[in-house]
Amino acid sequence: GEAMSIQTYNGAAIIAMSGQECVAIASDLRFGVQNQTLACDHKKVYRMHDRLYMGLSGLATDAQTLYKRFVFKHNLYRLREERDMRPQTFASMVSATLYEKRFGPYFVEPVIAGLDPEEGHAPFIAGMDSLGAMETAKDFMCAGTNSESLLGVCETFYRPGLGPEELFEVISQCMLSGVDRDALAGWGAVVYVISKDQCIARTLKGRMD
Amino acid sequence: MSRRYDSRTTIFSPEGRLFQVEYAMEAISHAGACVGVLSKDGVVLAAEKRITSKLLDPGHKLEKMYQLDDHIICAVAGITADANTLIQYLRLSAQQYSYAYQEPIPVEQLVTDLCDLKQGYTQYGGLRPFGVSFLYAGYDEHFGFQLYQSDPSGNYGGWKATSIGAKHNQAQSILKQEYKKDISLKEALELTVKVMSKTLDNTTLKPERLEFMVLKKKADGSVGMVALTPDQIGDLLKATEVDKKEED
């Protein structure tokens, strides 16, 4: 195919949503190189610890490398501080790590979702661009090759105060509709719903095109 | 006469000794004792705390035992500040390996990494050696459960049971007599308590003065460390005292 920008080389769709004492984060499952789809089991959401997950859209190789770097940093943090990182602390670390490469960046857009252990497991959602400019949100955060479509469906279907089961339904519908307008994302999706005591992962069957 | 040869760490004495290294080991022989015992289903590390003042507030942190990675723990004897630096180095080393190879670092490789650092301080730079000895307890898929000991010279060895710090010679001779092949984790714990109780004064043998860490397979099949709570240590001591009384 014709030359594509590096941000659209692999394709991705990520949504994070907050609910009543829970958060959900979802990604599509497509792995492709430009127009060629190569796998439909490539998750883009990574677990940092039981109550902190991160989605990485953009260039797949950068996403993989960054995940490994964050595992490295979080492991050392946990050994020194004898506790898991708070979501906001982790988000700040991600932001700083990305900004270190200000003039030769990682081509990723992270989305972070978790529950804050210090504020009664309050939901936390944040997103940033590839240079680490961070924004937090109370409702939802999207990233990917067609993030505008994702924002559109989220804006329509989201309402605050959803419980884990309802949140799952809403985020799933948003993901499945959103990726249908994106040639480079889709081929199924994975959804994580994180509550105080458990995290449930579910795989969605979607259009495989 | 040999005094002339110990002001520099990086030269031999005429008798072929490295005095600074020996002095470092001397410092460690005054530190709180540590004992390690390897069993077929886990490794036990125990240490004697040297609480210097009632006013000290350690919080939750253990004084002599540290986790290095998910599958490796260690106990230290010697200069605490030196130990803290080396622990940081060990943790970093383990993570660098995991990052590079996406696998947990094999236990001996981590020991070697640190020993290479320690050895450097006996040969280059004119800096004094680190005044710390370590007991490492770890698990990897290549060699299962392992126990290692290292000292300021950078030398290390693999052990079935060993001890460092104060009265380590006494502890070692008891271990030599009592250790048996294919010892279970439970027996290893009992042996460790026995050794501690025989080498420390009985007056100081209270749960608050001891630390225990065990590396073993957890219920879910993964390997991890468990730090015994003061209550659990108390129970362990009571159980061994009962045995001791029966022996007498």
Side-chain angles (χ1 to χ4, degrees):
Chain A
E2 80 242 352
M4 281 195 192
S5 103
I6 195 149
Q7 292 279 12
T8 59
Y9 188 76
N10 294 123
I14 314 227
I15 306 176
M17 273 190 185
S18 78
Q20 187 68 26
E21 290 173 354
C22 60
V23 287
I25 182 165
S27 83
D28 73 311
L29 291 174
R30 178 181 179 270
F31 174 68
V33 171
Q34 299 194 151
N35 287 323
Q36 166 89 63
T37 301
L38 294 170
C40 44
D41 59 358
H42 188 256
K43 299 186 180 104
K44 298 158 193 82
V45 176
Y46 301 92
R47 174 190 171 276
M48 301 313 304
H49 62 72
D50 284 345
R51 294 187 187 102
L52 178 59
Y53 283 70
M54 171 176 66
L56 287 168
S57 70
L59 197 63
T61 180
D62 283 358
Q64 282 180 352
T65 299
L66 267 179
Y67 167 64
K68 292 172 189 178
R69 285 193 66 196
F70 291 133
V71 167
F72 178 103
K73 292 182 177 206
H74 183 250
N75 279 350
L76 283 174
Y77 182 97
R78 207 182 32 208
L79 282 167
R80 257 201 306 267
E81 308 233 352
E82 294 180 10
R83 63 190 174 105
D84 285 326
M85 243 190 207
R86 293 175 73 189
Q88 37 272 78
T89 314
F90 181 74
S92 298
M93 184 182 77
V94 172
S95 171
T97 306
L98 292 176
Y99 195 80
E100 271 176 18
K101 304 280 187 206
R102 170 65 177 79
F103 301 108
Y106 288 111
F107 298 109
V108 297
E109 280 183 358
V111 173
I112 290 152
L115 299 174
D116 185 1
E118 280 178 39
E119 292 295 323
H121 300 291
F124 176 86
I125 301 205
M128 56 197 87
D129 67 9
S130 55
L131 300 181
M134 183 166 79
E135 280 300 331
T136 52
K138 285 202 170 63
D139 42 17
F140 49 84
M141 201 45 94
C142 304
T145 32
N146 200 4
S147 50
E148 295 89 345
S149 285
L150 298 172
L151 284 169
V153 272
C154 287
E155 204 69 64
T156 308
F157 292 136
Y158 178 82
R159 42 183 216 283
L162 294 168
E165 298 304 318
E166 294 173 296
L167 191 64
F168 165 70
E169 292 297 334
V170 171
I171 198 176
S172 301
Q173 290 301 333
C174 290
M175 177 59 75
L176 289 175
S177 335
V179 301
D180 280 350
R181 279 288 176 186
D182 184 359
L184 300 173
W187 289 74
V190 64
V191 183
Y192 294 84
V193 182
I194 306 138
S195 324
K196 189 163 64 104
D197 307 313
Q198 60 179 349
C199 170
I200 305 181
R202 296 181 182 89
T203 308
L204 306 180
K205 274 206 185 100
R207 288 178 64 103
M208 304 298 270
D209 63 0
Chain B
M1 192 259 288
S2 321
R3 288 278 165 206
R4 256 182 260 159
Y5 298 96
D6 58 14
S7 55
R8 300 247 299 273
T9 64
T10 52
I11 55 173
F12 285 107
S13 77
E15 302 90 46
R17 295 160 71 171
L18 290 171
F19 277 112
Q20 283 301 309
V21 175
E22 291 186 20
Y23 296 158
M25 306 223 222
E26 179 60 24
I28 293 161
S29 67
H30 299 307
C34 295
V35 174
V37 179
L38 176 69
S39 82
K40 57 180 170 33
D41 37 2
V43 195
V44 180
L45 291 180
E48 172 209 358
K49 285 200 271 206
R50 285 284 167 90
I51 300 162
T52 47
S53 165
K54 247 191 345 192
L55 295 174
L56 261 179
D57 184 7
H60 305 292
K61 285 184 86 81
L62 294 176
E63 182 188 299
K64 310 245 315 162
M65 310 221 161
Y66 299 87
Q67 184 169 16
L68 301 178
D69 201 347
D70 292 335
H71 60 300
I72 309 181
I73 58 177
C74 72
V76 310
I79 300 172
T80 311
D82 288 6
N84 288 338
T85 312
L86 295 180
I87 301 271
Q88 254 318 97
Y89 183 89
L90 283 162
R91 286 172 168 171
L92 196 63
S93 196
Q95 287 308 125
Q96 282 167 346
Y97 185 99
S98 298
Y99 177 76
Y101 302 107
Q102 292 296 296
E103 274 180 16
I105 187 168
V107 192
E108 191 171 345
Q109 293 216 29
L110 184 60
V111 176
T112 314
D113 275 354
L114 186 71
C115 287
D116 287 348
L117 178 77
K118 289 209 239 187
Q119 188 278 336
Y121 279 73
T122 69
Q123 198 175 15
Y124 313 111
L127 301 168
R128 68 163 175 82
F130 292 99
V132 203
S133 280
F134 282 88
L135 290 182
Y136 312 79
Y139 176 90
D140 58 48
E141 61 169 351
H142 312 286
F143 298 107
F145 288 106
Q146 298 149 70
L147 174 67
Y148 294 93
Q149 175 188 331
S150 73
D151 62 30
S153 67
N155 201 21
Y156 75 91
W159 293 83
K160 295 173 192 159
T162 187
S163 91
I164 52 178
K167 300 196 185 149
H168 68 275
N169 287 321
Q170 278 166 267
Q172 200 76 8
S173 55
I174 301 172
L175 286 170
K176 211 166 168 185
Q177 286 175 322
E178 306 272 348
Y179 183 86
K180 21 183 248 287
K181 212 174 121 194
D182 292 334
I183 191 174
S184 75
L185 186 59
K186 185 167 172 294
E187 289 165 336
L189 263 166
E190 287 162 7
L191 174 58
T192 314
V193 175
K194 197 171 178 180
V195 170
M196 296 296 274
S197 69
K198 283 194 177 168
T199 54
L200 309 181
D201 307 322
N202 265 325
T203 50
T204 64
L205 203 71
K206 295 191 184 73
E208 309 84 60
R209 294 200 65 114
L210 294 176
E211 289 176 357
F212 274 82
M213 251 197 202
V214 178
L215 190 78
K216 63 179 193 179
K217 276 210 165 81
K218 296 189 290 198
D220 62 3
S222 68
V223 168
M225 78 90 171
V226 177
L228 296 193
T229 63
D231 287 338
Q232 287 171 315
I233 299 176
D235 293 340
L236 204 54
L237 289 175
K238 280 203 198 83
T240 331
E241 255 180 53
V242 170
D243 289 344
K244 211 173 157 191
K245 287 204 174 81
E246 284 175 7
E247 269 176 41
D248 296 338

